Amino acid sequence: MITKSALILLIIGCFYIPANGYSSDLPAGLERCSAMDDQCVAKGVRHVLKNYAKSGIKDLGLVPLDPLHIKKMNMGKNANSPVSVDLKFHEVDLVGLQNANIKSVSGFSRDLSKPIELVMEVPEIAVQGPYAVEGRVLILPIVGKGASKIVLKKCQIVAKLKFKAVSKDEHHTFADLIDVKLLINPAHVSYKLEGLFNGDKALSENMHVLINENWQDIYNELRGSISEALSLIIKAVLSRVFNKLPLEELFLDV
């Protein structure tokens, strides 16, 4: 349920020290890496998280990551699922990415032939902001809209990005992001949804007991929709960033 969106946006920050003048006056501490130096890349991701998660890097198109603001995220009904809901979020914030622990980054190559994989652990991620829901959870109908806060504890996140190299002129090649896949495994999820059942307190309390006691089953049913929604958000954000600088500016050995 996160988006966050854009966890993978972190991986680009480690490359942005210019070689030929595409960008200038970049923040100190960002190190250009060889294409297949996974340890260097992971170090750069950690640096970006620690120093720029809250501010972003405007010149590079790197948006603030904590909180990460998401204008819209929708998940549609699945008639074959015991959790069949039309769930919509708008103008919500994803909080907690600054505290992510980068476990590994792998798969970079000069020709972008391999998927790039980022593995990270985040102690807590919270999604908070307006929501609307209508559908069925297990055996009960659900309807409501209002403020929400959904907290995911001890998240293990694996993100895979697939690129292809695109030559735009004789000397410059860009990374075209063609696919993003996310896998998010929390140790626990809690839900707080204001405005359920038009404010009916008894019905709202019963639904909160149901969804919080059965959080694992509910998350498992929503996992595919969550992954798809967040992957699309990340792809849109990253495509804009990778279109700004050629590979020759990102790697030492391209």
Side-chain angles (χ1 to χ4, degrees):
M1 221 160 278
I2 9 182
T3 116
K4 349 307 333 47
S5 84
L7 302 177
I8 327 314
L9 195 56
L10 304 172
I11 67 176
I12 60 173
C14 58
F15 296 127
Y16 287 154
I17 295 296
N20 299 310
Y22 261 78
S23 184
S24 60
D25 299 324
L26 298 179
L30 298 185
E31 178 183 355
R32 289 181 75 215
C33 299
S34 296
M36 292 178 283
D37 188 344
D38 294 339
Q39 291 187 353
C40 177
V41 174
K43 179 181 177 181
V45 175
R46 295 185 190 102
H47 179 84
V48 171
L49 274 174
K50 180 179 179 180
N51 295 281
Y52 303 108
K54 290 190 175 296
S55 64
I57 306 175
K58 185 176 180 179
D59 290 345
L60 306 179
L62 180 64
V63 300
L65 300 170
D66 197 353
L68 177 65
H69 188 70
I70 302 166
K71 288 186 175 294
K72 181 171 68 173
M73 184 171 69
N74 298 336
M75 284 165 271
K77 290 182 180 179
N78 179 358
N80 298 318
S81 170
V83 181
S84 181
V85 293
D86 183 10
L87 179 60
K88 300 178 180 179
F89 297 92
H90 68 278
E91 304 296 347
V92 295
D93 287 326
L94 175 69
V95 181
L97 295 182
Q98 187 179 34
N99 299 317
N101 177 24
I102 306 303
K103 306 299 289 185
S104 66
V105 181
S106 61
F108 284 98
S109 62
R110 283 175 287 183
D111 59 2
L112 299 179
S113 59
K114 300 178 182 178
I116 295 168
E117 182 177 274
L118 170 67
V119 179
M120 66 195 319
E121 295 177 351
V122 188
E124 180 177 303
I125 293 174
V127 180
Q128 49 197 39
Y131 84 98
V133 66
E134 183 271 327
R136 186 185 74 256
V137 175
L138 303 180
I139 61 173
L140 296 179
I142 184 172
V143 63
K145 61 180 179 179
S148 68
K149 184 172 183 179
I150 301 168
V151 179
L152 295 88
K153 296 276 192 178
K154 297 181 180 179
C155 293
Q156 293 185 334
I157 300 171
V158 178
K160 292 185 178 181
L161 293 81
K162 188 175 182 180
F163 293 88
K164 68 176 179 179
V166 176
S167 297
K168 294 192 176 181
D169 58 47
E170 184 178 354
H171 301 291
H172 299 114
T173 304
F174 289 77
D176 183 19
L177 181 57
I178 59 177
D179 190 43
V180 176
K181 284 186 171 36
L182 284 181
L183 178 63
I184 305 165
N185 289 319
H188 186 265
V189 181
S190 63
Y191 303 87
K192 176 62 178 175
L193 306 173
E194 297 181 6
L196 286 177
F197 305 106
N198 296 314
D200 187 301
K201 184 177 180 181
L203 290 176
S204 178
E205 288 179 351
N206 288 337
M207 179 57 67
H208 276 93
V209 170
L210 177 70
I211 60 179
N212 284 302
E213 286 187 351
N214 296 277
W215 72 268
Q216 183 73 74
D217 292 336
I218 292 170
Y219 184 80
N220 287 343
E221 291 296 325
L222 293 176
R223 187 191 307 273
S225 296
I226 292 168
S227 176
E228 182 178 359
L230 294 180
S231 295
L232 289 173
I233 292 170
I234 292 170
K235 185 175 185 293
V237 174
L238 284 183
S239 293
R240 182 186 64 182
V241 178
F242 276 104
N243 283 335
K244 295 187 69 170
L245 290 176
L247 296 177
E248 291 81 3
E249 301 301 323
L250 303 182
F251 297 108
L252 290 169
D253 48 2
V254 173

